[in-house]
């Protein structure tokens, strides 16, 4: 059984479109995250949710809106996609929120904006 | 200057060699993470530590809080250890990543 799953794995779309990436974890963790990995492979945290509540929003443009319908799901919706949004997006979860706990990562979604 | 600096950026080794990757940080932290990113892109958590030393198989992670420094050691390296190793520090509600160390182990 996959612990943290993301769909889709690849997403190719045009500038200006709106798209969503879904994430689900079956580990029973309370905290979920979205990370962005740029073309230089540098990782940066975008959002953190603890029990469906937004904890961290790291100066991400308003075009990015996370949604957590329950603590097992954290989806990422992106409006008006721009070329600079092209990256790999990783979802992760952990049991402990304060120290970011041991991170369990999803397989990543490679977003390409043309 | 980044809050988290890793060295070296690239490391090439022969199978069987002892490998050390270093991570220095400039802020007070609650925990430090070592991650491994496989060539296929998947990311795996190797260690989370806030003091002392942890060991898992051939991997050892140490941290010196006073010196703001951590090391990841790989004993008896193997080609399957080839990956990017990433250090990340948890500090004041943020998680900040190093730029990664690309390790290549040749048979």
């Amino acid at each position: 059984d996959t612990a943290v799953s993301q769909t889709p794995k690849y997403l190719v779309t045009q500038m200006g479109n709106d798209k969503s990436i879904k994430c689900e974890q079956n580990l029973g963790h309370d905290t979920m995250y979205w990370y962005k990995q740029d073309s230089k492979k540098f990782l940066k945290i975008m959002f953190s949710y603890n029990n469906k509540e937004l904890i961290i929003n790291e100066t991400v443009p308003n075009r990015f809106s996370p949604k957590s319908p329950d603590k097992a799901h954290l989806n990422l919706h992106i409006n008006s996609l721009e070329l600079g949004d092209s990256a790999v997006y990783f979802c992760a979860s952990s049991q402990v929120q304060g120290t970011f706990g041991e991170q369990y990562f999803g397989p990543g979604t490679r977003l390409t904006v043309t | 200057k980044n809050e988290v600096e890793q060295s070296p950026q690239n490391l090439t080794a022969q199978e069987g060699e002892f490998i050390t990757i270093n991570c220095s940080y400039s802020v007070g932290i609650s925990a430090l993470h070592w991650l491994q990113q496989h060539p296929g892109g998947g990311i795996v958590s190797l260690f989370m530590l806030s003091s002392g030393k942890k060991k898992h198989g051939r991997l050892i992670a140490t941290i010196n809080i006073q010196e703001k420094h951590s090391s990841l050691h790989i004993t008896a390296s193997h080609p399957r250890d080839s990956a990017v190793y990433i250090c990340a520090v948890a500090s004041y509600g943020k998680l900040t990543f190093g730029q990664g160390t690309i390790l290549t182990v040749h048979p």
Side-chain angles (χ1 to χ4, degrees):
Chain A
D1 271 348
T2 304
V4 182
S5 59
Q6 291 179 233
T7 53
K9 192 169 172 62
Y10 299 96
L11 186 52
V12 181
T13 188
Q14 291 185 323
M15 281 175 52
N17 285 347
D18 303 339
K19 289 293 177 186
S20 292
I21 306 172
K22 294 186 176 181
C23 178
E24 177 181 2
Q25 54 97 0
N26 63 6
L27 297 166
H29 288 166
D30 289 333
T31 309
M32 296 185 71
Y33 313 83
W34 277 109
Y35 296 97
K36 180 180 179 180
Q37 186 173 44
D38 62 24
S39 58
K40 294 183 180 177
K41 302 283 191 178
F42 192 70
L43 274 164
K44 192 167 184 182
I45 190 166
M46 300 174 68
F47 299 104
S48 168
Y49 266 73
N50 182 258
N51 249 326
K52 303 195 297 174
E53 183 182 343
L54 179 65
I55 302 297
I56 294 172
N57 179 343
E58 279 292 312
T59 57
V60 176
N62 290 340
R63 299 181 296 101
F64 290 80
S65 54
K67 286 186 171 50
S68 182
D70 56 61
K71 75 173 195 176
H73 295 84
L74 181 62
N75 303 322
L76 184 64
H77 189 76
I78 316 169
N79 290 329
S80 303
L81 278 154
E82 300 178 357
L83 292 176
D85 298 332
S86 295
V88 181
Y89 292 85
F90 287 96
C91 176
S93 71
S94 72
Q95 184 55 43
V96 177
Q97 187 253 322
T99 57
F100 284 85
E102 182 179 358
Q103 302 279 294
Y104 290 78
F105 286 85
T109 296
R110 182 175 295 277
L111 171 65
T112 304
V113 183
T114 61
Chain B
K1 191 178 189 304
N2 291 335
E3 288 181 352
V4 183
E5 293 279 350
Q6 287 184 235
S7 63
Q9 288 192 307
N10 286 280
L11 182 55
T12 301
Q14 288 297 126
E15 184 172 356
E17 286 184 357
F18 181 84
I19 286 161
T20 296
I21 299 170
N22 297 298
C23 176
S24 295
Y25 52 92
S26 56
V27 295
I29 67 169
S30 53
L32 183 142
H33 298 251
W34 281 103
L35 309 172
Q36 179 193 53
Q37 185 164 27
H38 298 291
I43 300 176
V44 173
S45 175
L46 298 175
F47 295 104
M48 186 185 80
L49 64 168
S50 53
S51 66
K53 175 179 169 177
K54 287 190 177 182
K55 184 175 189 291
H56 185 258
R58 295 179 296 106
L59 273 58
I60 303 166
T62 64
I63 187 168
N64 185 318
I65 297 294
Q66 285 73 30
E67 294 186 5
K68 293 187 166 61
H69 181 267
S70 176
S71 293
L72 176 68
H73 306 286
I74 305 175
T75 61
S77 60
H78 190 276
R80 65 174 174 267
D81 296 327
S82 298
V84 178
Y85 292 83
I86 303 167
C87 168
V89 299
S91 173
Y92 302 108
K94 285 178 55 175
L95 189 66
T96 306
F97 294 85
Q99 75 276 32
T101 295
I102 302 170
L103 171 64
T104 305
V105 182
H106 293 294

